[in-house]
Structures are given as C-alpha cells and as structure tokens.
Amino acid sequence: MDNSHRLSFTYLSQEDLIESGCFDISLAILTAEKTLLAYEEDSILFPEKTVQIFDHASQDRINCLPATLLDEKICGLKWVSVFPRNPKLHDLQNLSAIFVLSEIEKGFPIAVMEGTLASNMRVGAMGAIAAKHLARADSEVIGLIGAGEQAKMHMLAMKSVRPGLKQCRVASKAPQEEQQFIEELAPLFPDMEFVAADTHSRRAMDGADILVTATSAQAPLLHAEWMKPGAFYSHIGGWEDEYEVALQCDKIVCDDWETVTHRTQTLSRMYKEGLISGSNIHANLHELVSGHKPGRESADERTYFNAVGLAYIDVAIGLSLYHRAKAAGAGQELDLQHCMIFEHADIIKHVKL
Ligand SMILES: NC(=O)c1ccc[n+]([C@@H]2O[C@H](COP(=O)([O-])OP(=O)(O)OC[C@H]3O[C@@H](n4cnc5c(N)ncnc54)[C@H](O)[C@@H]3O)[C@@H](O)[C@H]2O)c1
C-alpha cells in the first residue's frame, strides 16, 4: 500500500508520562515562566474556552480549552471534565483531562495524551511562580484547606520554590483525607513536619506564611483574621475566602484579571458585586515574571494570588511533557489513517448510500 498519506500520532498515557520522568515540577515552572513571557511578546493565540454545564447545582461540566504557541508552531486543546460530586457519589476523582497537540505547518495531530497530570502540574506551577514573587523568602509554614489533587500538587510546587518550608498543616472535610495527604506527601519531605488539622480550617491557616485553599466548596472558608501580615495566599478553587481577605491584601495578582471577571471565584463575585475593579489588581502574573511590575516589596505585605487557569500554559506544559516522553521512547505510535479515503483498496465496496 502507498503510505504517502499515512497520518500517525503519539499516544501517551499518564503512566507513560510518569515513567518517562515527566512528573517534574521544575520543568512545569520553567515552561510556564517562558510561556508567560511569550504571551507578553504576542506569540500566543488564546481564544475563550467553551463551557458545557450539565447540572447547574453540581456544576458538572466539560470544558474545551484551545491555545496556540506560535513560536513552537503548536496548536493544542485541553478537553477537561469537572464533576465535583464524583468523590462523594462514586469515590472517583473530580477532574479528568485529555490533550490533543497538532503541528501548524501542515495542521496534523502529533499527540493525544492524558491531561490531568499536565493540568494539575500547571496549577501548582502557577502558584509556585506567584509564590516566588509574592511569598516571603523566609516562609516556613504552609497551611492548606483542601487535601485533594490540587492541594497535593500545590504542596510540591511551593516546596520547590520555598525550600525553607518546615511545617505543613492541612485541613479538609474529612480527617481520613488529611491523613491520606500526609501519608502520600510526608515521605517526600523528611525535613518537614506534617500536621492534620482534624477538619478545623483555623488550625491549618492561622498564622501560616503561605496559605492555600484548594477545595470544591463554595463558601468563605478562609477568614481574614487568620492571614497575618507578610503572608501569601494562593486561591485555587471557587468561592473559598471571606471578601475581607482580598480587601485587606496589599497586592492582588491574577493569572489573567480579565478572565477572572467572567468566572465565579471569590474575586469574580466581588467584581460582579462592585466591591473591586481592575484598579484593585496589582498585576497579571506575566508582569511579575517579566519584571514590568514589582512582586513583594516589604516584609509585612499581605499578598493574594488567584488563578483561573490559562489554556496556553496547559498546552505549553503538555508540549514539554510530550518532548520529554518522546525523548525517553515512551508512548505508542497510532495510525489515524493509512491513506486518504478513496485511496483504500476496494473502498467502493464499503460505501453505503
Ligand atoms: N484555578 C485553577 O486553575 C484550577 C484548576 C483545576 C481545578 N481547580 C479547582 O480546584 C478545586 C479543587 O480541585 P481538586 O481536583 O483538588 O478536587 P478534589 O476533589 O481532589 O479535592 C477537593 C478538596 O476540597 C475539600 N473540601 C470540600 N469542601 C470543603 C469544606 N467545606 N471545608 C474544607 N475542605 C473542603 C475536600 O475535602 C477535598 O479535600 C476545585 O474547585 C477545582 O474546580 C482550579
């Protein structure tokens, strides 16, 4: 058979990615920083995501997030499902994702890959980049509300940029989740003390240097009085903090403020209620990375970072993982087609009218 019209792509499972060394937080951070700078250079296409919500009460949804990295000549798509009731109803994860990457010289797909790893690494990497610029260098205590996938990834990412962290306190809805968080992460960090807060958010957060909320709740879980001067807060989920938290902060930084105004997180709610506007936002994260705006300027500043998720960072991290996995010989080559439709032998026999 003439294979001149053969199209194939690489399929990478989560196991392929992990076994080929892709679970590399530093790689995700470096890739995200480079891509934030590319955004400033107008080298990114970043259309609005498409959201399909199947149940408004539970917010069960599948989102389609495309982006193009013009310098790398790659167009990608993250197809991500968020089903917040999965853990409770089915004992299954909330989030699952698949990535498609295509080259843009001929427009053909090059990869289909598991996307939860890249997506969760992106969330952690963006929080870590914010921490690099906004958290005190001498931070020792991290407090988390939420003990799920994002909380774990954030813990890894924060430690990679603030290696002086000595204590991690974690609160969630269930003590067994806090225990699981500790069992999974403590072996990685023998220099740290892990403390389960037994579902008491205050115990986890009060007086911490770095505060993280990563929950599926829609409630003001983090109280302003628990955030001491000099603390840095990374907000990941939906509505998770009292409005006073943001109001008392000296600097609020977003991954993309314009996008935040269209979403449903705490800052989005405050914007819609007229409590904050663009003038209250110190910067988007790329401005800190490029040095166009300052990060932390004094020891006592309270700083707030809110990420809603940028598809071009997902695609860039997905591409970095693809390159690393390919270099390690991981994955499977799958054929999309051997030839064009009418080139198949006996194609006429297969046509149904
Ligand atoms: N900002 C982003 O870019 C981004 C990206 C991915 C996910 N998210 C969001 O992050 C959040 C967490 O995602 P995940 O994958 O870690 O979910 P998960 O289901 O793995 O974990 C959720 C955690 O929230 C805790 N929780 C829920 N209600 C709580 C309450 N009232 N008090 C204390 N803890 C509570 C649960 O106990 C659990 O530990 C979700 O809202 C998700 O939509 C944000």
Side-chain angles (χ1 to χ4, degrees):
M1 189 192 305
D2 174 8
N3 274 338
S4 57
H5 293 137
R6 186 182 208 113
L7 294 181
S8 49
F9 62 89
T10 305
Y11 169 72
L12 292 159
S13 68
Q14 189 176 97
E15 290 68 28
D16 294 328
L17 295 169
I18 290 172
E19 284 158 23
S20 55
C22 290
F23 193 176
D24 180 340
I25 300 289
S26 301
L27 175 70
I29 292 173
L30 280 173
T31 304
E33 285 175 332
K34 188 179 121 208
T35 312
L36 287 167
L37 295 177
Y39 176 78
E40 274 200 1
E41 301 292 319
D42 268 344
S43 299
I44 302 289
L45 301 182
F46 179 35
E48 187 47 49
K49 71 177 177 182
T50 306
V51 178
Q52 299 177 77
I53 298 179
F54 314 117
D55 182 317
H56 281 275
S58 66
Q59 290 287 303
D60 289 351
R61 59 196 185 274
I62 294 185
N63 296 344
C64 175
L65 297 91
T68 298
L69 313 172
L70 293 170
D71 293 341
E72 285 80 3
K73 299 188 172 51
I74 291 292
C75 177
L77 169 75
K78 177 168 86 161
W79 179 259
V80 56
S81 307
V82 183
F83 281 63
R85 293 176 303 177
N86 274 359
K88 197 169 170 193
L89 293 185
H90 310 294
D91 195 20
L92 289 172
Q93 68 203 58
N94 164 12
L95 191 145
S96 62
I98 196 159
F99 281 43
V100 178
L101 302 178
S102 293
E103 46 79 12
I104 57 167
E105 284 180 327
K106 302 191 194 76
F108 295 136
I110 59 164
V112 172
M113 53 200 284
E114 193 283 325
T116 316
L117 180 69
S119 186
N120 290 2
M121 282 168 67
R122 184 266 304 160
V123 183
M126 293 294 276
I129 295 168
K132 256 168 110 169
H133 294 274
L134 296 171
R136 285 176 56 137
D138 60 357
S139 297
E140 293 192 345
V141 178
I142 179 169
L144 301 109
I145 308 180
E149 297 295 294
Q150 306 305 335
K152 290 171 193 166
M153 203 59 89
H154 240 63
M155 174 57 224
L156 301 186
M158 290 297 171
K159 180 73 174 168
S160 86
V161 294
R162 287 291 177 266
L165 284 173
K166 290 189 169 64
Q167 188 187 58
C168 169
R169 311 181 201 148
V170 60
S172 84
K173 248 163 90 168
Q176 56 274 27
E177 271 187 39
E178 298 169 3
Q179 286 306 332
Q180 190 179 343
F181 177 101
I182 293 172
E183 275 164 32
E184 287 172 8
L185 296 194
L188 265 173
F189 304 114
D191 60 328
M192 288 186 74
E193 177 198 15
F194 282 80
V195 180
D198 198 20
T199 76
H200 297 288
S201 298
R202 180 177 197 143
R203 272 190 215 158
M205 306 305 260
D206 201 356
D209 300 302
I210 295 180
L211 297 85
V212 176
T213 53
T215 75
S216 45
Q218 291 293 331
L221 301 176
L222 174 64
H223 291 222
E225 65 185 81
W226 303 342
M227 189 172 176
K228 68 179 183 184
F232 162 67
Y233 170 43
S234 179
H235 172 112
I236 301 169
W239 174 29
E240 301 182 299
D241 48 324
E242 289 183 337
Y243 290 176
E244 289 73 18
V245 174
L247 294 174
Q248 76 176 356
C249 280
D250 300 285
K251 289 194 171 103
I252 301 175
V253 173
C254 298
D255 57 354
D256 186 87
W257 164 244
E258 175 58 26
T259 310
V260 172
T261 62
H262 302 128
R263 299 289 162 78
T264 54
Q265 290 163 313
T266 308
L267 292 184
S268 322
R269 297 168 71 104
M270 293 174 72
Y271 170 75
K272 284 167 195 154
E273 292 174 31
L275 295 171
I276 55 166
S277 67
S279 63
N280 300 101
I281 306 305
H282 170 66
N284 283 332
L285 189 58
H286 66 84
E287 296 173 291
L288 303 192
V289 175
S290 66
H292 289 137
K293 295 259 177 84
R296 171 173 292 276
E297 290 170 287
S298 75
D300 281 348
E301 278 177 300
R302 291 185 181 90
T303 53
Y304 186 122
F305 177 61
N306 181 205
V308 283
L310 301 174
Y312 59 89
I313 306 289
D314 283 312
V315 170
I317 292 176
L319 180 64
S320 287
L321 304 196
Y322 163 79
H323 285 313
R324 179 159 294 179
K326 285 290 278 184
Q332 294 173 55
E333 287 305 297
L334 298 180
D335 284 337
L336 201 57
Q337 65 177 45
H338 292 175
C339 56
M340 291 170 66
I341 296 170
F342 287 95
E343 289 173 349
H344 288 94
D346 298 331
I347 185 69
I348 298 307
K349 278 197 214 155
H350 298 281
V351 176
K352 292 189 171 67
L353 295 174

